[in-house]
Amino acid sequence: MDSSSLIVQFGQQLINGISLGSIYALIALGYTMIYGIIRLINFAHGDIYMVGAYAGFFATTMFKFSFIPALIFSMAAAGVIGMVIERVAYRPLRNAPKIAILITAIGVSLFLEYGGMLLVSPQPRTFPVLFESEVYNIGGMVINSQQVVILVVSLLLMVILTYVVNKTKMGKAMRAVSFDTEAAQLMGIDVDKVISFTFGIGSALAAAAGVLVGIYYNSIDPLMGIMPGLKAFVAAVLGGIGSLPGAMLGGTILGIIEALVSGFWSSTFRDAVAFAILIIILLWKPAGLLGKNIREKV
Amino acid sequence: MAMLKVDDINVYYGAIHALKGISVEVNQGEIVTLIGANGAGKSTTLRTISGLLKPKTGQIMFEGKNIAGMAAQNIVKLGISQVPEGRRVFAHMSVLENLDLGAYLRSDTKEIKADMDMVFGRFPRLAERRGQLAGTLSGGEQQMLAMGRALMSRPRILLLDEPSMGLAPLLVKEIFSIVKDINETGTTILLVEQNAHMALSIANKAYVLETGRVILSGDAKELAASEEIRKAYLGG
Ligand SMILES: Nc1ncnc2c1ncn2[C@@H]1O[C@H](COP(=O)(O)OP(=O)(O)OP(=O)(O)O)[C@@H](O)[C@H]1O
Ligand SMILES: [Mg+2]
């Protein structure tokens, strides 16, 4: 390989990596927000992404929605489901030992996976084509319209989220609750409502990722959330759990590493290398790239 | 009728019986202080009034309404605001954002702005640092911010938990004179203090707590003069 084709190849993997990474980032945001607000690793979060993909699937196949309405429908449906899960499964355990709620999260995850199989069958489904696939060629690198849509939608959602968290009253309340729940209560903040809202937003973002993946890979199934869920969790930890920019950065980095390893070496080693690099980064920066040493809750 | 009447409350942390039948009365316009040694139950009393803890038995009447067991945000809505022990400012937010959060339940933008100016008037050091992150303020400035933040909800009664903790003597004096001033402009005050001497000097009434019980109560001036209090809490 001469050097110019090496650069093209590198650029190509960068494009692939950023598309994949923005999916991880969308899922990682929910992990990090939920962890930030109730210090829970929500193991069911990857399954919410699967639920979102199916909501998008049924919106387009049964209701004949086009892309944007299907995306909004899926985000809304998953948002509501996320809020219901919090209300029914997690809220009653809020003052219980941490391990109880963690195990419940695993239970919810299994419930969604196997309940999903029962409801929609374990068979993978072909996600409908929602728009003409076009391929653009930029100096030897190719980028297809799906990747463009993934990038635009993820970026837009991240900008909206950042605005909501930093500028709105609800966002301020979310930051206050995640920093010090009791102090937030003393301000008159309804903590239950804020936690519920956080689950809603986090789940909606995961659902968007689910729809985008459906469009990208064309295939969805009830267990599709397990691996991306795990990776997005790692991405959140890598970026610094609790940090929104950290989740975005962690997701993108993970996507890029994976793409580079599969492009230049072998996709067999993709996950192994990706995780090894993550371990090294965490040894070097245990709080994650953008993580602060957050005060543990008592 | 007392504005706030804590009536024989029992509060537990799991198996620990922290408050064993505490009763406290605060009349409108007063400064009432709770004093007592470490672990006596002073903070627990304030936290229960604010709704962070629920009493197992007993009542807490605020302006004729039983607020025991009510959600914390509704208690703030009724006009009870607390400056917690250790200040608990939102360290990663600016002074302005902290004050905004104090006004969380309000939507009268103009009045909020006016109250913010009032807080800055009372605490000029906060005005100079309005854009600074609260976590980078000095201890005294954080105390002022926590008090300003609590005032932003326009409380009818302000609960203060050890506002003088960890401050230099000069600053303690300043904080106490501000407390007195806040009271004179119409806010009733329930003050928890380790610094019994200072607390008794500005309070109308005092309660002395020991291991979850009120062991003495009465007029602050009389208690300050009593032999028992002088020995136990005022260093002779
Ligand atoms: N979160 C908790 N869990 C268990 N026990 C607690 C908790 N908080 C307080 N206690 C116990 O309740 C009792 C009263 O504590 P509290 O904090 O109300 O005392 P205090 O009078 O405010 O003391 P200090 O002057 O040190 O602040 C103590 O015995 C304390 O150990
Ligand atoms: Mg205390």
Side-chain angles (χ1 to χ4, degrees):
Chain A
M1 239 193 287
D2 61 51
S3 68
S4 79
S5 82
L6 200 68
I7 291 171
V8 168
Q9 162 82 334
F10 185 81
Q12 180 65 57
Q13 296 311 334
L14 217 54
I15 291 174
N16 297 350
I18 293 173
S19 327
L20 181 64
S22 49
I23 305 255
Y24 291 151
L26 285 180
I27 312 175
L29 281 168
Y31 264 117
T32 233
M33 288 165 77
I34 290 170
Y35 180 84
I37 211 129
I38 56 170
R39 302 293 183 268
L40 165 72
I41 309 294
N42 182 18
F43 283 110
H45 193 63
D47 303 298
I48 294 288
Y49 148 93
M50 174 275 291
V51 169
Y54 273 92
F57 172 83
F58 287 116
T60 49
T61 51
M62 280 167 64
F63 309 145
K64 306 287 178 234
F65 283 8
S66 59
F67 172 61
I68 301 286
L71 182 71
I72 293 171
F73 172 81
S74 154
M75 290 176 72
V80 169
I81 291 171
M83 284 156 81
V84 169
I85 290 172
E86 187 276 324
R87 181 71 192 79
V88 174
Y90 301 150
R91 194 178 298 178
L93 295 173
R94 201 165 306 146
N95 298 317
K98 280 275 125 75
I99 189 77
I101 186 163
L102 213 58
I103 290 169
T104 305
I106 296 173
V108 171
S109 168
L110 293 172
F111 173 79
L112 290 175
E113 287 161 16
Y114 295 92
M117 284 191 185
L118 205 66
L119 204 67
V120 298
S121 96
Q123 247 62 56
R125 309 251 188 167
T126 308
F127 208 86
V129 176
L130 295 181
F131 36 78
E132 291 304 309
S133 180
E134 277 179 59
V135 176
Y136 311 99
N137 199 314
I138 316 161
M141 296 175 281
V142 288
I143 176 163
N144 61 36
S145 46
Q146 282 97 328
Q147 288 174 316
V148 174
V149 167
I150 289 177
L151 285 175
V152 170
V153 170
S154 329
L155 211 62
L156 193 67
L157 289 174
M158 289 184 211
V159 169
I160 294 173
L161 177 73
T162 305
Y163 175 81
V164 168
V165 169
N166 288 318
K167 296 284 180 235
T168 66
K169 197 164 183 174
M170 185 47 109
K172 228 175 256 176
M174 284 166 70
R175 284 184 290 143
V177 172
S178 55
F179 184 76
D180 185 338
T181 307
E182 274 191 2
Q185 283 178 288
L186 292 176
M187 302 299 107
I189 294 171
D190 183 342
V191 169
D192 284 343
K193 208 161 96 187
V194 172
I195 292 174
S196 187
F197 181 81
T198 305
F199 269 83
I201 296 276
S203 302
L205 291 175
V211 173
L212 293 174
V213 153
I215 289 170
Y216 197 37
Y217 293 123
N218 293 322
S219 167
I220 62 173
D221 69 87
L223 299 184
M224 68 184 275
I226 298 175
M227 251 340 242
L230 199 61
K231 287 183 180 167
F233 168 61
V234 172
V237 173
L238 172 70
I241 191 125
S243 155
L244 296 185
M248 299 176 198
L249 182 68
T252 311
I253 291 179
L254 185 59
I256 291 172
I257 293 175
E258 280 196 17
L260 288 178
V261 173
S262 2
F264 283 95
W265 192 10
S266 144
S267 54
T268 321
F269 300 124
R270 186 187 65 192
D271 295 348
V273 173
F275 282 98
I277 290 175
L278 300 178
I279 290 169
I280 291 165
I281 292 180
L282 288 179
L283 284 174
W284 164 57
K285 278 198 120 166
L289 292 171
L290 303 181
K292 297 170 214 82
N293 280 318
I294 24 180
R295 198 161 63 92
E296 254 317 309
K297 292 213 161 169
V298 285
Chain B
M1 187 185 65
M3 179 188 213
L4 176 71
K5 186 167 192 268
V6 176
D7 189 7
D8 197 22
I9 55 169
N10 280 279
V11 177
Y12 293 77
Y13 291 101
I16 298 165
H17 193 175
L19 300 188
K20 302 161 184 160
I22 294 261
S23 296
V24 170
E25 275 189 39
V26 185
N27 294 313
Q28 179 151 7
E30 280 183 331
I31 298 181
V32 173
T33 184
L34 307 182
I35 56 180
N38 291 113
K42 307 180 297 293
S43 298
T44 305
T45 306
L46 293 197
R47 288 157 52 78
T48 309
I49 296 171
S50 281
L52 299 176
L53 297 166
K54 315 245 171 290
K56 191 158 232 169
T57 62
Q59 285 192 328
I60 302 172
M61 304 298 293
F62 179 67
E63 299 188 321
K65 197 167 173 178
N66 187 10
I67 60 166
M70 207 185 252
Q73 71 269 15
N74 295 329
I75 292 175
V76 179
K77 225 174 271 173
L78 290 176
I80 301 180
S81 189
Q82 181 178 163
V83 180
E85 186 174 305
R87 290 111 205 193
R88 314 263 297 252
V89 294
F90 299 107
H92 60 319
M93 295 190 200
S94 68
V95 167
L96 270 178
E97 281 184 305
N98 271 272
L99 294 176
D100 266 341
L101 279 166
Y104 184 77
L105 290 171
R106 298 170 55 185
S107 48
D108 45 344
T109 322
K110 267 205 190 114
E111 303 275 295
I112 291 175
K113 180 80 192 51
D115 283 357
M116 204 168 281
D117 290 340
M118 176 274 292
V119 167
F120 285 141
R122 213 184 271 290
F123 305 105
R125 289 160 70 168
L126 294 182
E128 295 158 23
R129 294 168 172 79
R130 60 183 79 201
Q132 196 174 322
L133 291 185
T136 65
L137 298 174
S138 75
E141 288 157 3
Q142 289 192 15
Q143 185 59 48
M144 293 174 188
L145 178 57
M147 288 168 70
R149 185 180 68 173
L151 288 173
M152 288 304 294
S153 70
R154 284 202 174 169
R156 316 243 316 113
I157 181 168
L158 186 60
L159 316 180
L160 293 163
D161 197 343
E162 298 200 36
S164 76
M165 186 164 69
L167 302 185
L170 216 63
L171 213 49
V172 172
K173 263 198 144 135
E174 191 181 334
I175 293 286
F176 272 91
S177 89
I178 292 168
V179 170
K180 217 166 153 52
D181 199 52
I182 291 171
N183 175 251
E184 275 158 13
T185 51
T187 310
T188 307
I189 294 198
L190 179 55
L191 169 68
V192 159
E193 260 304 333
Q194 293 260 352
N195 190 333
H197 184 72
M198 286 297 275
L200 290 173
S201 75
I202 64 165
N204 306 101
K205 241 168 34 197
Y207 291 81
V208 181
L209 270 60
E210 203 175 284
T211 58
R213 289 195 174 85
V214 175
I215 54 156
L216 261 177
S217 64
D219 181 86
K221 302 276 161 319
E222 282 168 25
L223 281 180
S226 91
E227 198 60 25
E228 227 177 319
I229 295 289
R230 298 176 72 91
K231 277 220 182 77
Y233 300 100
L234 302 176

